[in-house]
Amino acid sequence: LRKSATLSISIQHDVIGPTLDMNVDDARRAFETNTLSVLRLSKAVARHMAQKGRGTIVTVGSVAAYL
């Protein structure tokens, strides 16, 4: 993020695919890609928002469609 930029909201989506058919390696890759990317982005934008004194992070996650 550029120092002059203003970021006030970050909306992220975390999803894990068809769990009934997923093996452990696929689940690990999905976790690495989806969940950890949300964590990394949250940390990056939270620092920026804290410096600006405002901001909102919204994370949406769902596995219900595949159960």
Side-chain angles (χ1 to χ4, degrees):
L1 296 170
R2 294 176 303 169
K3 291 186 179 194
S4 63
T6 300
L7 177 67
S8 58
I9 188 165
S10 175
I11 301 175
Q12 307 155 70
H13 186 257
D14 179 11
V15 63
I16 295 177
T19 54
L20 296 177
D21 299 326
M22 190 178 285
N23 64 43
V24 173
D25 290 332
D26 291 340
R28 184 173 286 118
R29 278 191 296 279
F31 181 82
E32 291 282 336
T33 300
N34 298 327
T35 305
L36 294 181
S37 63
V38 169
L39 174 63
R40 289 181 187 110
L41 180 59
S42 294
K43 288 179 70 172
V45 299
R47 286 186 186 110
H48 178 79
M49 291 174 179
Q51 290 174 350
K52 300 293 183 183
R54 64 188 173 114
T56 302
I57 298 173
V58 178
T59 303
V60 179
S62 176
V63 296
Y66 295 103
L67 294 179

